[in-house]
Amino acid sequence: MGTSGKSQKKVSPPQLIIFIFLLLILIGTILLRFPVSSNSNTITWIDALFTATSAVCVNGLVVINTGSSFSTFGQVVIMILIQIGGLGFMTLGVMIAILLGRKIGLRQQLILQETTQASSRDGLTKLCLYIFMIAFIFELVATIILTLRWVGEMGLQKASYYALFHSVSAFNNAGFSLWPDSLSNYLDDPVVNLTIITLFIFGGLGYIVIVELFKKRDWKKFSLHTKVVLVTSGLLTICGFIVLLLLENWNPTTFANLTMGEKIAAAFFQSTTPRSAGFNTIDIGNMLSSSQLIIIILMFIGASSGGTGGGIKTNTFFVLILATLNTFRGGGPIHVFKRKIGTETVMRALAVVVSSLTCVFIVALLLTITENMLEEHFLEVLFEATSAFSTTGLSMGLTSELTSLGKIIVTITMFIGRLGPLTLAYALAKKKNSTKIGYPEDQVLIG
Amino acid sequence: MGTSGKSQKKVSPPQLIIFIFLLLILIGTILLRFPVSSNSNTITWIDALFTATSAVCVNGLVVINTGSSFSTFGQVVIMILIQIGGLGFMTLGVMIAILLGRKIGLRQQLILQETTQASSRDGLTKLCLYIFMIAFIFELVATIILTLRWVGEMGLQKASYYALFHSVSAFNNAGFSLWPDSLSNYLDDPVVNLTIITLFIFGGLGYIVIVELFKKRDWKKFSLHTKVVLVTSGLLTICGFIVLLLLENWNPTTFANLTMGEKIAAAFFQSTTPRSAGFNTIDIGNMLSSSQLIIIILMFIGASSGGTGGGIKTNTFFVLILATLNTFRGGGPIHVFKRKIGTETVMRALAVVVSSLTCVFIVALLLTITENMLEEHFLEVLFEATSAFSTTGLSMGLTSELTSLGKIIVTITMFIGRLGPLTLAYALAKKKNSTKIGYPEDQVLIG
Ligand SMILES: [K+]
Ligand SMILES: [K+]
């Protein structure tokens, strides 16, 4: 984002992004609706729309069992939608700049220039290809590893297909799985765990962080953005891991009967997957409500900007916390890692979190009404709304029971959540009014 | 708040505020623990602490039935704690300024000067007395009205006592009632409804708004703060009223069997009471979960700064929404009512909402653990946490079932919620570090 500039043309970058995503979803819906996409009965339009949106928006919520109800053709369509949707979104800022033949917004440009010296069109094209290459290398290596892991279990053809599907799904933080219980069968399998986790973590860090990690390889040389993303992602993972391990340790329906090694693996997987991946090795519905609440918060924060994941983003969260602590310490300029964070950045973070919270609460409210839920299931509804908005795709089990109206609400939420409130607002916004009168500043009490 | 200044003495105003409140709670706890305070069995220390905190913090959550378990002496203690806690908090900024013999913080001072020309110590004392006078007039008139309403029902002595107790409780937004089902018996009684609602609405608007309403009586002359409070409070009430009326209209356990007039009265009462009052004329636990979620949001927003209510405050909420919309429209200075809202104001609003959200979520999480709640009751827990933090005191029924640990958590939450995150942060904060090095500004992606 940050692509709104002075040279306003007929179609703004945010409008173009929305158009492309709607087109992808339309094509996906039609393809998945074809009889050839299903194993037995052709799926309904609404389920095709839901699945296509979930795939293009790399969400992972499913109303139809991906592995058993879709044919191999249907599954390949889903996989391609995931790859285009995920990698496309990741490189969107760069690609839009190339497509429109002009520089991208100030914010990304500054970081990009510093990182890659790629401000010219040629430089941007190179950068884009570089990102694609890294993504494909990640997916290729992972496919090979997973094929080797699964070949004994299911033969070469099926193993390589499953490996490819799950690698694409993981790097793009899509969370689609060909098993109905996601990766629960591989709860204690180090190869599957580490491969999948590595993929979705790297996919979620964003291209600026990935490029810097591969090109600079030195903390001191990293940009502020990269430092912020790495620190926040790391802290969230560590905190999530410890809390989930402590909470679930004695839960008989999840951790209680596992060995210590399995517990650690499961806690680690479940603390990283809310950063938009959406796979799971434990049935989320069986976890304690306190753990589910933690996962809701982790999902809401999500992954990092410029990546395949969703949520308000780790970097946005960091800025919010930093600004809050700064105000508590008496205000003034916000400093971190020997750099200053500008007011405009904080304002954008505020706008993102307020609109995201509003969105999640409205969706939860609507689902509470349409699904005729009693208060007993509110956590499930809040979980579903957050998961849809943050493109995480984890579920406590509500998705498969959704009414048609509920499916439509979740579909729209996945779309809004993927593009983000800022993109949508900029797409709808009229030209910036630069003739504001300078009214005098006045006071409003706070808190 | 906003009372931290340059002339840092040994005890800062926020520290003084905390000390006074702790002292009040201690005295209240001891008084309520005396056998003379109870009707039959002496109450436990923890219940005495809970009740004293709830009264001083004008919360209204109760673990002990106020009307039947406390003696008249105990009830009078509660009433006095409410009056000191509520009216004291309302005039805190002014009183601290008088006590410490120096001007109060910039923000309040600017509004106060504009409103009352009361920046001198004498002026402040006059202002303080003026506020007390208004409060007592409100409570006196209401007591007379309610006495006349109830005299036929229960005789003069009981009627006047009940009238006084509920008037004090209402103006101070305390929500304590001598009936176990609050004001449910008077659901369709216009006298009781209008008297109580008028009291808690005026109490919740804050002294600046009240003073301006009484002294200026002209919209154009109102300060920005007053305009913001009136507009936000009005809009919240109208939206809450319409949504609750629509949602509950067909609910057989609440509105379905009422007449249209009763429905309107009940919807109006239940849409205003979350602005921290805490009385109810409908059993909140019987409402739809969607209505309960709406009430949670209204409670979280709460009343207005400088009043007897709690929550993040309508004015804080207004600034957040305004800043968000402004960013969506492309950023720049934030204008409203022909005035500019400063960056510092927005930063404070951000700090308040982030820390308040964090607090409510942590409390909900802790209660989920201590109360051994299954996911089925999460809405109840979230409701309780929000009600405790926002000093509203409404409950879906969890309060009476709290474990000892749960009672302690709720007690601490009521205290934190009443004083507010900013006051607590300022009390803990060290002297502001004014030797910050001017680091260069750098970019972090957002959203
Ligand atoms: K996902
Ligand atoms: K209250």
Side-chain angles (χ1 to χ4, degrees):
Chain A
M1 275 100 358
T3 47
S4 80
K6 279 184 180 175
S7 56
Q8 201 93 13
K9 292 187 182 176
K10 272 172 192 165
V11 176
S12 69
Q15 287 168 338
L16 188 61
I17 295 171
I18 291 175
F19 176 76
I20 293 171
F21 268 80
L22 284 177
L23 190 68
L24 278 176
I25 290 171
L26 180 69
I27 296 171
T29 306
I30 294 171
L31 285 175
L32 291 178
R33 168 74 182 161
F34 283 153
V36 67
S37 292
S38 316
N39 257 343
S40 44
N41 301 319
T42 306
I43 66 170
T44 60
W45 277 111
I46 197 162
D47 287 348
L49 174 68
F50 190 100
T51 309
T53 309
S54 183
V56 170
C57 299
V58 294
N59 193 300
L61 286 176
V62 286
V63 284
I64 298 267
N65 193 308
T66 316
S68 63
S69 297
F70 283 106
S71 65
T72 307
F73 176 79
Q75 292 166 5
V76 171
V77 168
I78 290 173
M79 186 172 69
I80 293 171
L81 292 176
I82 290 171
Q83 185 72 282
I84 299 175
L87 199 52
F89 188 82
M90 191 179 194
T91 54
L92 215 51
V94 186
M95 288 212 288
I96 291 279
I98 301 173
L99 279 174
L100 297 185
R102 58 186 167 89
K103 291 184 180 173
I104 50 178
L106 186 69
R107 195 172 303 265
Q108 285 195 14
Q109 202 179 342
L110 279 174
I111 302 175
L112 273 179
Q113 275 184 347
E114 190 192 303
T115 303
T116 59
Q117 281 85 37
S119 60
S120 70
R121 193 159 170 173
D122 272 4
L124 285 172
T125 312
K126 263 187 205 161
L127 174 65
C128 203
L129 291 175
Y130 185 75
I131 299 169
F132 283 158
M133 197 187 67
I134 289 180
F136 288 129
I137 290 174
F138 265 102
E139 291 177 0
L140 183 69
V141 173
T143 303
I144 293 170
I145 294 173
L146 291 177
T147 304
L148 293 175
R149 168 65 188 81
W150 286 330
V151 67
E153 213 173 286
M154 47 180 94
L156 183 64
Q157 198 187 344
K158 195 178 171 193
S160 57
Y161 173 63
Y162 268 56
L164 177 66
F165 187 95
H166 288 90
S167 295
V168 170
S169 181
F171 184 79
N172 291 292
N173 272 286
F176 276 86
S177 173
L178 296 173
W179 290 284
D181 57 354
S182 194
L183 301 174
S184 299
N185 277 334
Y186 303 97
L187 177 130
D188 61 343
D189 186 309
V191 176
V192 175
N193 267 270
L194 289 177
T195 309
I196 297 286
I197 290 176
T198 306
L199 283 174
F200 68 62
I201 283 186
F202 270 92
L205 286 175
Y207 66 91
I208 292 177
V209 177
I210 295 179
V211 169
E212 291 201 355
L213 279 177
F214 280 87
K215 289 207 164 176
K216 294 186 173 171
R217 290 175 218 155
D218 180 359
W219 177 263
K220 285 177 189 166
K221 290 182 185 165
F222 288 163
S223 67
L224 176 61
H225 176 78
T226 295
K227 287 179 183 169
V228 164
V229 165
L230 290 177
V231 165
T232 315
S233 304
L235 284 179
L236 286 175
T237 302
I238 293 169
C239 294
F241 170 75
I242 294 171
V243 175
L244 288 185
L245 189 60
L246 288 178
L247 285 173
E248 294 295 323
N249 194 35
W250 298 275
N251 182 349
T253 59
T254 58
F255 283 21
N257 299 320
L258 302 181
T259 66
M260 200 57 210
E262 288 170 335
K263 283 178 185 174
I264 288 173
F268 188 67
F269 197 96
Q270 262 62 232
S271 70
T272 46
T273 190
R275 199 143 310 108
S276 309
F279 294 103
N280 55 287
T281 59
I282 290 282
D283 187 340
I284 307 289
N286 285 340
M287 296 179 92
L288 298 176
S289 39
S290 42
S291 305
Q292 291 161 342
L293 185 58
I294 298 270
I295 292 179
I296 287 176
I297 293 165
L298 289 176
M299 290 197 297
F300 185 75
I301 299 170
S304 309
S305 288
T308 57
I312 62 166
K313 308 288 161 25
T314 58
N315 31 310
T316 308
F317 178 70
F318 181 90
V319 169
L320 285 173
I321 299 297
L322 199 67
T324 300
L325 294 177
N326 190 65
T327 301
F328 281 170
R329 284 194 300 253
I334 303 170
H335 289 159
V336 66
F337 297 131
K338 302 196 173 176
R339 289 287 181 279
K340 197 175 103 179
I341 307 257
T343 305
E344 201 212 335
T345 304
V346 181
M347 291 294 172
R348 287 169 60 94
L350 171 67
V352 167
V353 79
V354 169
S355 51
S356 299
L357 273 177
T358 308
C359 187
V360 168
F361 266 102
I362 289 177
V363 172
L365 186 66
L366 291 178
L367 286 180
T368 311
I369 298 170
T370 63
E371 305 312 295
N372 209 359
M373 283 285 169
L374 300 167
E375 71 195 57
E376 281 81 51
H377 296 91
F378 179 69
L379 191 61
E380 226 172 299
V381 169
L382 184 64
F383 196 101
E384 194 82 6
T386 313
S387 181
F389 182 80
S390 66
T391 79
T392 307
L394 292 171
S395 178
M396 284 167 61
L398 183 63
T399 329
S400 50
E401 298 163 18
L402 284 176
T403 60
S404 294
L405 207 53
K407 285 176 188 172
I408 291 171
I409 294 170
V410 172
T411 303
I412 296 171
T413 311
M414 293 193 287
F415 185 75
I416 295 175
R418 167 80 293 197
L419 295 180
L422 274 179
T423 308
L424 296 173
Y426 288 155
L428 299 170
K430 291 178 183 167
K431 230 175 170 176
K432 190 179 159 182
N433 182 10
S434 56
T435 57
K436 272 183 179 172
I437 307 156
Y439 291 117
E441 188 165 327
D442 203 348
Q443 303 293 320
V444 179
L445 291 182
I446 296 294
Chain B
M1 277 104 347
T3 48
S4 82
K6 279 184 179 175
S7 56
Q8 201 93 14
K9 292 187 183 178
K10 273 171 192 165
V11 175
S12 69
Q15 286 168 338
L16 188 61
I17 294 171
I18 291 175
F19 175 76
I20 294 172
F21 268 80
L22 284 177
L23 190 69
L24 278 176
I25 290 171
L26 180 68
I27 296 171
T29 306
I30 294 170
L31 286 175
L32 292 178
R33 167 76 182 161
F34 283 153
V36 67
S37 292
S38 316
N39 257 343
S40 44
N41 300 319
T42 305
I43 65 170
T44 61
W45 277 111
I46 197 163
D47 287 349
L49 174 68
F50 190 100
T51 308
T53 310
S54 183
V56 171
C57 299
V58 293
N59 192 300
L61 285 176
V62 286
V63 283
I64 299 267
N65 193 309
T66 316
S68 63
S69 298
F70 283 105
S71 65
T72 306
F73 176 81
Q75 292 166 6
V76 171
V77 167
I78 291 173
M79 187 171 69
I80 293 171
L81 292 177
I82 290 172
Q83 185 72 284
I84 299 175
L87 199 52
F89 188 81
M90 191 180 193
T91 54
L92 214 51
V94 186
M95 288 212 288
I96 291 280
I98 301 171
L99 280 174
L100 297 185
R102 58 185 166 92
K103 291 184 180 173
I104 49 178
L106 187 68
R107 196 173 302 265
Q108 285 194 15
Q109 202 179 340
L110 279 173
I111 302 175
L112 272 179
Q113 275 186 346
E114 190 192 304
T115 303
T116 59
Q117 279 87 37
S119 60
S120 70
R121 193 158 171 175
D122 272 5
L124 286 173
T125 312
K126 263 187 204 160
L127 174 65
C128 204
L129 291 175
Y130 185 75
I131 299 170
F132 284 159
M133 198 187 67
I134 289 181
F136 288 130
I137 290 176
F138 264 103
E139 291 177 0
L140 183 69
V141 173
T143 304
I144 294 170
I145 294 173
L146 291 177
T147 304
L148 293 174
R149 167 66 188 80
W150 286 331
V151 67
E153 212 172 286
M154 48 181 92
L156 183 63
Q157 196 187 347
K158 195 179 170 192
S160 57
Y161 173 62
Y162 269 56
L164 177 66
F165 187 94
H166 287 90
S167 295
V168 170
S169 181
F171 183 79
N172 291 292
N173 272 287
F176 276 86
S177 173
L178 296 174
W179 290 284
D181 57 355
S182 194
L183 301 174
S184 298
N185 277 335
Y186 302 96
L187 177 129
D188 61 341
D189 186 308
V191 176
V192 175
N193 266 270
L194 289 177
T195 309
I196 297 286
I197 289 177
T198 305
L199 283 174
F200 67 63
I201 283 186
F202 270 92
L205 286 174
Y207 66 90
I208 291 177
V209 177
I210 295 178
V211 169
E212 290 202 356
L213 279 178
F214 280 86
K215 289 208 164 174
K216 293 186 173 170
R217 292 173 215 153
D218 181 359
W219 177 262
K220 284 177 190 167
K221 290 181 186 166
F222 288 163
S223 68
L224 175 62
H225 176 77
T226 295
K227 287 179 183 170
V228 164
V229 165
L230 290 177
V231 165
T232 315
S233 303
L235 283 179
L236 286 175
T237 302
I238 293 169
C239 293
F241 170 74
I242 294 172
V243 175
L244 288 186
L245 190 60
L246 288 177
L247 284 174
E248 293 296 322
N249 194 36
W250 298 274
N251 181 350
T253 59
T254 58
F255 283 21
N257 300 320
L258 303 180
T259 65
M260 199 58 211
E262 288 171 336
K263 284 177 185 175
I264 288 173
F268 188 66
F269 198 96
Q270 262 60 233
S271 69
T272 46
T273 189
R275 199 146 309 108
S276 310
F279 295 103
N280 55 286
T281 59
I282 290 282
D283 187 340
I284 307 289
N286 285 340
M287 296 178 93
L288 298 176
S289 40
S290 42
S291 305
Q292 291 161 341
L293 185 58
I294 298 271
I295 292 178
I296 288 177
I297 293 165
L298 290 176
M299 290 196 298
F300 185 75
I301 299 171
S304 308
S305 288
T308 56
I312 62 165
K313 308 289 161 22
T314 57
N315 31 312
T316 308
F317 178 70
F318 181 89
V319 168
L320 284 173
I321 299 296
L322 199 68
T324 301
L325 294 177
N326 190 64
T327 301
F328 280 169
R329 283 193 301 254
I334 303 171
H335 288 160
V336 67
F337 297 132
K338 301 196 174 175
R339 288 286 181 279
K340 197 175 103 178
I341 307 256
T343 306
E344 200 212 334
T345 304
V346 180
M347 291 293 171
R348 288 168 60 93
L350 171 69
V352 167
V353 79
V354 169
S355 51
S356 300
L357 274 177
T358 307
C359 187
V360 168
F361 266 102
I362 289 176
V363 172
L365 186 66
L366 291 178
L367 286 180
T368 310
I369 298 169
T370 63
E371 306 311 295
N372 209 358
M373 282 286 170
L374 299 166
E375 71 194 57
E376 282 81 49
H377 297 89
F378 179 69
L379 192 61
E380 226 172 301
V381 170
L382 184 65
F383 196 101
E384 194 82 4
T386 312
S387 182
F389 181 80
S390 66
T391 80
T392 307
L394 292 171
S395 177
M396 283 166 60
L398 182 64
T399 328
S400 50
E401 299 163 18
L402 283 177
T403 60
S404 294
L405 207 53
K407 284 177 189 172
I408 292 170
I409 293 171
V410 172
T411 303
I412 296 171
T413 311
M414 294 193 288
F415 184 76
I416 295 176
R418 167 79 295 195
L419 295 180
L422 274 178
T423 308
L424 295 173
Y426 288 155
L428 298 171
K430 291 181 182 165
K431 229 174 171 176
K432 190 179 159 182
N433 183 10
S434 55
T435 57
K436 272 182 180 172
I437 307 156
Y439 291 118
E441 187 166 328
D442 203 348
Q443 304 294 320
V444 179
L445 291 182
I446 295 294

